[in-house]
Amino acid sequence: MKNIFKSALVLVATVSVVACNVENIGTTYDPAEHGSAVSFVQTVVNNTTLPASTTSYNVVIGRSNASVAETVNLTSTLPDGICPSSVSFAAGESSANIVLDLSTLNVGTTCKGVIAIDGQADFSRDAINVTLAKAYEWTSLGTGEFLENFWEGFVADVEIIKAEGFDIYRVLNPYAEASKGTGKGPAYIQFEIVDKAKGIVHFDTFTTNFDYDDGGHFVKGYRPSEASASYAAYDDYSLIDSNYYVALVPYWYVDGVGGWGVKYGYTIGIALPGAPKSIVDWFDENGLL
């Protein structure tokens, strides 16, 4: 690229664990000690890469005595409508699924909460912490351009991907060619077109690989409202033009040190794949260099 600027629980029967990222599965359940208790087979479920098409998720619960049918009441701090109020075992079943309804969970939104067995608090697995999220599905648009116009001054070819079904984009490894960068930099910069008619773009705060004082104080590009609520109006300064050219206007700041505020002269530029002219030419025509 060219620079152009300077365990599982032991129950009467074995219970299969199907959840991802399971933690704390190893305690042996002893019926002699705990009686015929009902218990979760883990204490934590953490899956934040569910496909966008996911509509339900199973949390496994088990019991030591499977001789009769049984219904167990549940309490939950998950958002309303996601967790049922009870789960039932048929006679002979040592495990059952608590089916969580994720049909209304938006992609990119994290769902957190605790599910507990109502009225049972004498065993370590009477509750489970749940964190679930649907991940975006990404498609590569090809090669675009990234213009760093604040700290060092360079332009680089970058891969740009788009979330399927959403106006959300990621510029991958934007600072990989920063000759003055000493940190690893962000894996991507993510931005979203929030108002197509006005061309307004919002981006997620990112950390560059520029060390302000060689002391591990790296320059951050804050979305203005994330730097301070008083700067929220500046969020709408970031724009997309002609469906190809993006200007991001961060609040540049070094945590614990200070910052440079929000200025168009400190703008980051992005040209999406297929742009008819370079991002440098577009910036020059619009007085941003």
Side-chain angles (χ1 to χ4, degrees):
M1 313 300 175
K2 184 185 295 183
N3 286 356
I4 69 169
F5 300 130
K6 77 165 196 172
S7 241
L9 278 174
V10 178
L11 303 170
V12 172
T14 300
V15 177
S16 280
V17 179
V18 296
C20 297
N21 298 327
V22 171
E23 300 178 18
N24 298 330
I25 303 181
T27 302
T28 300
Y29 175 78
D30 184 354
E33 179 182 353
H34 298 288
S36 57
V38 176
S39 174
F40 291 99
V41 300
Q42 69 244 42
T43 58
V44 175
V45 165
N46 186 350
N47 192 335
T48 57
T49 58
L50 295 170
S53 59
T54 301
T55 58
S56 64
Y57 189 90
N58 293 338
V59 174
V60 181
I61 193 168
R63 61 178 181 163
S64 60
N65 186 344
S67 60
V68 298
E70 183 178 8
T71 296
V72 176
N73 292 327
L74 304 169
T75 61
S76 170
T77 62
L78 291 167
D80 290 344
I82 289 181
C83 183
S85 60
S86 64
V87 62
S88 295
F89 297 86
E93 288 184 338
S94 296
S95 66
N97 288 327
I98 300 171
V99 182
L100 304 183
D101 182 358
L102 302 184
S103 60
T104 60
L105 181 64
N106 294 325
V107 175
T109 300
T110 300
C111 171
K112 292 184 178 182
V114 177
I115 304 172
I117 300 167
D118 192 19
Q120 179 178 293
D122 58 352
F123 183 54
S124 62
R125 296 187 189 276
D126 65 296
I128 185 170
N129 288 279
V130 176
T131 302
L132 300 171
K134 296 180 185 178
Y136 294 110
E137 296 176 4
W138 299 94
T139 299
S140 177
L141 298 181
T143 301
E145 290 182 308
F146 175 74
L147 170 61
E148 197 288 307
N149 195 38
F150 168 59
W151 193 260
E152 177 179 335
F154 68 86
V155 65
D157 292 341
V158 290
E159 182 181 4
I160 296 178
I161 60 178
K162 182 179 184 294
E164 294 184 7
F166 299 88
D167 286 321
I168 300 174
Y169 300 79
R170 285 179 176 175
V171 180
L172 303 186
N173 299 311
Y175 287 87
E177 296 190 28
S179 61
K180 297 181 180 179
T182 58
K184 64 179 181 178
Y188 55 84
I189 292 176
Q190 181 169 307
F191 65 90
E192 178 180 5
I193 303 172
V194 297
D195 188 327
K196 285 186 175 181
K198 295 181 180 179
I200 295 173
V201 168
H202 287 177
F203 63 91
D204 293 347
T205 296
F206 58 92
T207 302
T208 74
N209 56 2
F210 299 130
D211 192 340
Y212 172 73
D213 56 4
D214 296 325
H217 298 108
F218 290 94
V219 178
K220 289 186 177 181
Y222 275 94
R223 181 194 296 184
S225 62
E226 293 177 352
S228 171
S230 63
Y231 286 95
Y234 289 103
D235 285 359
D236 293 351
Y237 276 40
S238 296
L239 303 170
I240 185 169
D241 179 59
S242 304
N243 297 318
Y244 285 112
Y245 305 103
V246 179
L248 302 183
V249 187
Y251 186 110
W252 295 105
Y253 195 79
V254 180
D255 291 346
V257 178
W260 293 263
V262 181
K263 297 179 182 179
Y264 268 125
Y266 297 156
T267 306
I268 292 296
I270 300 160
L272 297 180
K277 64 182 69 174
S278 73
I279 188 62
V280 177
D281 289 342
W282 186 84
F283 258 51
D284 190 28
E285 291 172 3
N286 288 276
L288 295 173
L289 289 180

